[in-house]
Amino acid sequence: MEVLRPQLIRIDGRNYRKNPVQEQTYQHEEDEEDFYQGSMECADEPCDAYEVEQTPQGFRSTVRAPSLLYKHIVGRRGDTRKKIEMETKTTISIPKPGEDGEIVITGQHRNGVISARTRIDVLLDTFRRKQPFTHFLAFFLNEVEVQEGFLRFQEEVLAKCSMDHGVDSSIFQNPKKLHLTIGMLVLLSEEEIQQTCEMLQQCKEEFINDISGGKPLEVEMAGIEYMNDDPGMVDVLYAKVHMKDGSNRLQELVDRVLERFQASGLIVKEWNSVKLHATVMNTLFRKDPNAEGRYNLYTADGKYIFKERESFDGRNILKLFENFYFGSLKLNSIHISQRFTIDSFGNYASCGQIDFS
């Protein structure tokens, strides 16, 4: 049961268990009106941060949003939009489904337009958070030396530990997909992908060039650790990644990238620091070779899935391979990778990237 192996959260150097809680979710459009009423209680306070244009007919404000989220503003039979319009004395124009554009709010009173804009933003933010992750920022760790080191690790583990409970070839990572994740993204349109590319380029110009010196970061992938707190019941085993020169530059770089994307709203703030690791064994792979870690545990509407996992006994692996050396490599690019999509080389497809040199 997942309740016996909860996700761990690290806060101020300490590990805390995060037990899954079954919460009410809104799977169907019929629920959106009830959700709207509950969510709008804190959205009535006018916000002066919005740009409101005065027109001959009154006031006007616009909101850009991916077309996938329009239906949550419209609601069942248009009820959500009608309710906002009635309560704020505004008119809300929404592009047709599948068409990109702006949601336009007009009204006779500035406060009414701002109130409608606030409510729409609350709905957009709430339902965006319920979308599954689509992309992630990452370094690829699939250079030949590291892939060969990983295959050697897999071979030796199976030779020495295959009799340990739950250890078999199905739970090992695909060596072509070895990567170091910086942060998970929900990108719902080509415009948002382009915005992410631009943000990454800004990071390069503002601080990545200074940290990297305009050169690839030379790192080593060595040593293993496990995610949960019981080595006899492991679900995720990972390899550690660190700078060859012993400096903190890689950690500083990824933390600043994470901080910038969190500040922009492109990454939801969940962690204050990136845990530098490369997953090498994961029990989710046992039944689904394309599973992608803990990010598969939620449906599109935010419902928690209690996935049955068969943990493995990692005590011998940790003892025998604690300092296993996978190899060295040069990190020269941060990629915007698309989940569940592979390129011609078998790696995650990249929608954009920046290079250090």
Side-chain angles (χ1 to χ4, degrees), residues 5 165-166 168 171 234-235 283 286 308-312:
R5 301 187 298 277
H165 176 77
D168 61 54
I171 62 176
V234 176
D235 283 320
T283 56
R286 197 186 303 280
E308 184 179 348
R309 302 172 68 161
E310 181 190 350
S311 299
F312 66 92

Side-chain angles (χ1 to χ4, degrees), residues 19-47:
N19 293 315
V21 177
Q22 190 73 34
E23 296 180 344
Q24 183 180 3
T25 58
Y26 300 88
Q27 290 181 267
H28 308 290
E29 290 188 359
E30 295 85 23
D31 299 313
E32 289 184 2
E33 185 174 352
D34 292 336
F35 166 79
Y36 167 82
Q37 281 188 294
S39 296
M40 293 307 108
E41 293 178 0
C42 59
D44 287 326
E45 192 70 27
C47 177

Side-chain angles (χ1 to χ4, degrees), residues 207-351:
F207 58 84
I208 289 178
N209 284 339
D210 290 338
I211 296 173
S212 68
K215 300 177 182 178
L217 298 179
E218 297 188 18
V219 304
E220 291 179 321
M221 187 165 148
I224 58 172
E225 286 186 0
Y226 59 105
M227 283 293 187
N228 59 303
D229 57 356
D230 184 353
M233 295 181 64
V234 176
D235 283 320
V236 177
L237 190 79
Y238 63 89
K240 294 179 283 187
V241 180
H242 59 267
M243 289 290 297
K244 252 186 174 183
D245 61 11
S247 72
N248 199 43
R249 288 189 296 150
L250 176 59
Q251 187 71 61
E252 179 187 358
L253 188 152
V254 295
D255 284 349
R256 290 189 65 177
V257 170
L258 178 68
E259 181 182 15
R260 177 59 59 85
F261 273 79
Q262 287 175 336
S264 72
L266 287 169
I267 291 180
V268 175
K269 187 173 178 61
E270 186 178 9
W271 317 104
N272 292 322
S273 180
V274 177
K275 187 176 184 65
L276 295 173
H277 73 283
T279 298
V280 293
M281 298 173 72
N282 189 331
T283 56
L284 284 179
F285 299 155
R286 197 186 303 280
K287 293 184 178 179
D288 181 6
N290 296 313
E292 296 176 7
R294 67 185 181 84
Y295 304 109
N296 275 18
L297 296 178
Y298 292 88
T299 62
D301 60 3
K303 184 178 180 181
Y304 188 87
I305 302 173
F306 291 93
K307 278 202 170 185
E308 184 179 348
R309 302 172 68 161
E310 181 190 350
S311 299
F312 66 92
D313 186 343
R315 287 174 292 185
N316 282 332
I317 298 175
L318 290 161
K319 180 180 178 180
L320 296 171
F321 301 95
E322 179 182 6
N323 298 310
F324 187 88
Y325 186 78
F326 292 87
S328 63
L329 67 161
K330 295 180 178 180
L331 302 181
N332 193 44
S333 306
I334 297 177
H335 294 264
I336 303 167
S337 300
Q338 185 171 351
R339 298 183 72 205
F340 309 116
T341 306
I342 60 172
D343 60 19
S344 58
F345 300 101
N347 197 1
Y348 290 103
S350 179
C351 302

Side-chain angles (χ1 to χ4, degrees), residues 192-203:
E192 292 187 350
I193 293 174
Q194 182 58 38
Q195 183 184 357
T196 303
C197 291
E198 293 171 359
M199 178 69 68
L200 206 50
Q201 182 62 35
Q202 290 174 15
C203 290

Side-chain angles (χ1 to χ4, degrees), residues 29-196:
E29 290 188 359
E30 295 85 23
D31 299 313
E32 289 184 2
E33 185 174 352
D34 292 336
F35 166 79
Y36 167 82
Q37 281 188 294
S39 296
M40 293 307 108
E41 293 178 0
C42 59
D44 287 326
E45 192 70 27
C47 177
D48 293 329
Y50 296 133
E51 184 176 334
V52 179
E53 173 190 359
Q54 187 164 8
T55 68
Q57 292 76 34
F59 296 88
R60 180 180 184 272
S61 184
T62 60
V63 186
R64 291 203 68 83
S67 59
L68 185 66
L69 298 180
Y70 291 163
K71 63 181 180 181
H72 300 300
I73 308 303
V74 175
R76 180 168 55 97
R77 297 191 303 272
D79 290 347
T80 301
R81 173 168 58 182
K82 291 174 185 175
K83 188 172 183 64
I84 297 174
E85 289 178 328
M86 180 184 68
E87 293 181 352
T88 62
K89 297 180 172 58
T90 58
T91 299
I92 301 170
S93 175
I94 301 174
K96 294 180 180 179
E99 294 183 3
D100 290 326
E102 294 181 328
I103 299 172
V104 180
I105 308 162
T106 56
Q108 294 293 317
H109 305 286
R110 186 174 186 276
N111 279 354
V113 171
I114 292 175
S115 180
R117 170 67 187 271
T118 303
R119 297 173 186 217
I120 288 173
D121 277 354
V122 169
L123 288 170
L124 290 173
D125 180 69
T126 299
F127 284 101
R128 172 180 286 278
R129 288 173 182 266
K130 291 180 179 291
Q131 302 301 312
F133 292 116
T134 59
H135 299 74
F136 58 98
L137 296 177
F139 291 101
F140 293 161
L141 305 175
N142 56 355
E143 290 190 13
V144 174
E145 179 182 342
V146 169
Q147 286 195 41
E148 290 177 347
F150 170 82
L151 291 172
R152 189 173 69 255
F153 169 78
Q154 178 176 345
E155 181 181 356
E156 292 183 19
V157 167
L158 292 175
K160 298 177 181 179
C161 306
S162 61
M163 298 302 293
D164 294 344
H165 176 77
V167 176
D168 61 54
S169 61
S170 69
I171 62 176
F172 285 85
Q173 174 68 282
N174 180 340
K176 295 179 180 179
K177 290 185 175 181
L178 288 169
H179 64 278
L180 189 161
T181 300
I182 299 174
M184 303 300 297
L185 299 157
V186 176
L187 305 178
L188 303 178
S189 67
E190 288 299 322
E191 182 180 343
E192 292 187 350
I193 293 174
Q194 182 58 38
Q195 183 184 357
T196 303

